[in-house]
Amino acid sequence: MPTRLPFRRLLAATAASGLLSAPALAAEPPITIGLFTHLSGNFAEYGASFKNAVELYLDKVNADGGVNGRPVKLVVEDDRNSPQEAATVARKIVATPGVVLAIGSWSTTASLAAAPIFTEAKIAQISPTSSHPDFSKQSPYQFRQNNTDDVLAQYNADTIHKQLKANRIVIPYSQDDWGLFTVKATSAAIEKDGGKVLLTEAVMPNARDFRPLVSKIKSLKPDGVFLALPYQEASIFIQQLRQAGVDIPVGGGVPLTSPKFIELAGKAAEGVVVHSIFFAGDPSKKAFTDAYRAKYNRTPDQFAALAYDAAGVGVAAIRRVVQSGKPLTGQSVRDELAGGPPYEGVTGVTKYENGNVRKAPTFLVIRNGEFQLNK
């Protein structure tokens, strides 16, 4: 029969026992992840999607007890979609005690600028959306969640040929690293499939007057347009195209999967076809979509989904390191990312090969002011 203790002694013993376990848990330092993306300036909507999704994922991890009892802390930096600022904030992140993983950035240009800093610090960098093939070639520390631009180029061509049934194409493209590679690769894919690219024209950031380009398009009489542009310039272009009475089919790349494109373009966006590796209306994505809507009162886009999966695959790698008993370092997390098992996320399966992934597209059309499956 167990010995009975007076109530006060029992209470004291219980409190002492609690004090023994609580400091042991509290003594464990948090696991720190850095996130950098553009949270101000042009295209800040993309960065907001990143931040929202990563915070949503880590809130769930911490609510479930963290990683083996250790909370996960997020350090967020605004790189303003600038390569100079991206390098600056990357240095801040690697200087933060306990950082074992970095997520960012949105653009290839900013991601590339930060890559040497994370490589030197031996900290893995996962870009949710950097698609230029050069990003993952920088070092063994760079990983991506999105398809590379050479894969996306074929999806772009499929958008034009298979979805919109157009063959004579005009491509306005963004005057940056992504746009330059995209227009070249997409043009090659279109012509390989039997189409003809009549015109490619660079668009400078913040461009607002597309009337000269629209006049060229009217004179060339193409039967389709592919927009290799961010949502801001794309929305203005398509409004001016429709105002000029040009009613030919329009397709778009990954940047136009943001709801911001529909918001800014309004009725002019109707009928635009895009490809995505995430569709919020997919019943299999309901848990994520509902949680995102409940927290932020908006529907998640592909950029949110990719960032959510970047956090997911990163935390899974961290968890494996912790459970293995190995020291938790940037290097050990990188090794688990590179050699770990496939990760099933909301954008499909992540299994890295030289830092790259390959995910199948879903084609969407804008109808009645929202994305729907293009059937």
Side-chain angles (χ1 to χ4, degrees), residues 14 20 29 44 53 72 121 125 156 182 218 222 235 275 288 312 320 335 340 344:
T14 303
L20 286 174
V72 182
Q125 174 191 3
N156 294 343
T182 296
K218 290 182 75 172
S235 63
H275 58 82
F288 164 63
R320 290 195 299 273
D335 293 344
E344 183 71 49

Side-chain angles (χ1 to χ4, degrees), residues 112-129:
L112 284 170
I117 291 98
F118 293 115
T119 299
E120 184 178 0
K122 296 184 177 180
I123 292 173
Q125 174 191 3
I126 305 175
S127 172
T129 50

